């Protein structure tokens, strides 16, 4: 189940720019689920850590904090 988020994270390995980060954040705001695992069992946070992308890791951790503190 490779998602658009997975594809963007993989793109960051080769080229990262502010526009791509903004697209990633907009997808999260629109409800894209960062917890979905791809065929190797990795979600986008796993990939961001694997690629050592600190900015992306921080974006994902912030999303996780927002998700955990928002009322159901």
């Amino acid at each position: 189940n490779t998602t658009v988020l997975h594809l963007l994270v993989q793109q960051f390995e080769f080229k990262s720019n502010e526009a791509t980060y903004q697209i990633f954040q907009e997808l999260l705001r629109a409800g894209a689920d960062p917890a979905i695992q791809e065929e190797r069992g990795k979600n986008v946070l796993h990939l961001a850590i694997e690629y050592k992308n600190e900015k992306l890791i921080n974006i994902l951790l912030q999303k996780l904090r927002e998700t955990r503190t928002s009322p159901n």
Side-chain angles (χ1 to χ4, degrees), residues 5-22:
L5 293 178
H6 288 97
L7 295 174
L8 277 174
V9 172
Q10 292 168 357
Q11 178 67 25
F12 284 119
E13 182 181 16
F14 305 105
K15 176 184 174 186
S16 60
N17 59 47
E18 197 56 39
T20 311
Y21 285 108
Q22 289 174 357

Side-chain angles (χ1 to χ4, degrees), residues 28-70:
L28 289 175
R29 279 193 273 278
D33 186 355
I36 293 175
Q37 297 177 346
E38 41 94 282
E39 49 279 341
R40 296 176 297 159
K42 295 181 179 184
N43 64 32
V44 290
L45 181 56
H46 295 136
L47 294 176
I49 292 168
E50 185 177 306
Y51 298 140
K52 298 177 178 77
N53 187 319
E54 290 184 41
K55 184 170 183 171
L56 199 53
I57 292 167
N58 288 328
I59 290 169
L60 289 162
L61 290 176
Q62 178 62 35
K63 177 66 174 174
L64 181 60
R65 281 191 294 273
E66 290 170 5
T67 303
R68 291 190 175 205
T69 59
S70 67

